[in-house]
Amino acid sequence: QVQLVESGGGLAQPGGSLRLSCAHSQFAREYYAIAWFRQAPGKEREGVSCVSNSDGSTNSADSVKDRFTIFNDNAKNTVYLQMNNLKPEDTAVYYCAAAVDIVIPSLDPMDMDYWGKGTLVTVSS
């Protein structure tokens, strides 16, 4: 069982920045990917960014590609989502998720095997 714990959410002004953290327990499998998803009120959950441990490749949604960066610190078992130039439409609960036995950085929630409880990000002036 993999444990995922998100932190770093909060209130930010439009144009501001936040960094989310996803601390995870050790994976027993050789290959895995860790992704960030978000869900705004009344909307479906959508994939934001994902990183694969096999080669460090990443994948991000078009809506965040130029503003958000996903990166990991293997020594700390933590994956980060650096969010810059935040917009009100980025307001959502952000979830960390993990998929095992996968080499591609997937943004499909159906590929994920484990989920964190989420952290709220609010972008408002």
Side-chain angles (χ1 to χ4, degrees), residues 4-122:
L4 304 166
V5 179
E6 305 97 333
S7 62
L11 176 65
Q13 292 189 340
S17 298
L18 282 175
R19 178 178 291 185
L20 304 183
S21 301
C22 173
H24 61 83
S25 55
Q26 199 74 15
F27 285 87
R29 305 295 182 96
E30 181 177 7
Y31 297 115
Y32 58 89
I34 297 180
W36 287 95
F37 291 81
R38 67 185 181 185
Q39 188 165 19
K43 294 189 177 181
E44 292 186 356
R45 190 169 297 189
E46 65 169 337
V48 177
S49 293
C50 184
V51 59
S52 169
N53 87 309
S54 64
D55 60 359
S57 59
T58 62
N59 185 20
S60 294
D62 289 341
S63 59
V64 306
K65 197 163 287 186
D66 296 329
R67 302 183 295 121
F68 293 5
T69 302
I70 188 170
F71 60 99
N72 56 10
D73 185 335
N74 291 326
K76 295 183 177 179
N77 284 347
T78 301
V79 172
Y80 301 93
L81 183 68
Q82 178 67 41
M83 306 186 295
N84 298 327
N85 191 20
L86 284 162
K87 303 176 180 181
E89 51 263 42
D90 294 319
T91 295
V93 177
Y94 283 71
Y95 298 90
C96 180
V100 296
D101 297 330
I102 190 170
V103 296
I104 60 170
S106 172
L107 294 179
D108 187 345
M110 297 299 292
D111 286 336
M112 302 298 135
D113 299 293
Y114 303 99
W115 291 86
K117 294 183 178 181
T119 185
L120 177 63
V121 171
T122 303

